[in-house]
Amino acid sequence: MADSKFVSVDTSKITKFKNDSKDAIKEFKEIKKEFKRINKELLAAWEGEGAEAYKFETDNILEKIKSVDDVLDAINNGAVSEIRQSYSDMDDEMGEYNKNPYPEEDN
């Protein structure tokens, strides 16, 4: 039994991703708010076709990027949750294995 090894699953990267997602959402909202503020000030002082073209492009950009929190929520509630559950299930199995890594030696 001297050859036995304890096997574990490290899920800290998954937890870190979920926590980092919260920080990314907050930062994205701040960037988007500042982007809108700058555009509002710029367009208040800019007139003509160039201003209209600029506004069209920035509105298009804002529409396309929508909200990073929706994307991260989908990732976290979909794939990441499934991966976390798989790791948890595997951890349970390894826990059982670690209790008795050599069942044939019990006989």
Side-chain angles (χ1 to χ4, degrees):
M1 192 108 122
D3 294 344
S4 68
K5 295 179 182 177
F6 185 80
V7 181
S8 67
V9 175
D10 181 6
T11 59
S12 63
K13 297 286 185 190
I14 295 170
T15 303
K16 182 177 179 344
F17 179 83
K18 284 187 147 190
N19 290 336
D20 288 351
S21 294
K22 293 174 189 172
D23 294 340
I25 289 168
K26 181 180 176 190
E27 184 177 352
F28 179 79
K29 285 180 179 180
E30 290 171 4
I31 290 169
K32 193 172 177 181
K33 182 178 176 182
E34 181 66 3
F35 182 76
K36 287 180 178 180
R37 184 195 66 75
I38 290 168
N39 283 337
K40 183 178 178 181
E41 284 185 26
L42 179 62
L43 291 169
W46 188 7
E47 295 179 9
E49 288 181 35
E52 291 172 18
Y54 176 81
K55 182 175 181 343
F56 176 81
E57 288 301 320
T58 56
D59 287 350
N60 190 31
I61 290 168
L62 288 171
E63 181 183 330
K64 286 186 178 185
I65 60 172
K66 300 208 184 217
S67 173
V68 79
D69 45 332
D70 292 339
V71 173
L72 289 173
D73 280 345
I75 292 169
N76 281 323
N77 294 324
V80 172
S81 290
E82 290 175 21
I83 291 167
R84 178 69 173 99
Q85 185 61 50
S86 293
Y87 271 108
S88 182
D89 293 346
M90 187 184 339
D91 188 51
D92 291 343
E93 291 172 19
M94 287 184 186
E96 288 302 313
Y97 171 82
N98 286 331
K99 289 178 187 174
N100 189 11
Y102 301 105
E104 66 277 357
E105 291 180 6
D106 290 343
N107 297 331

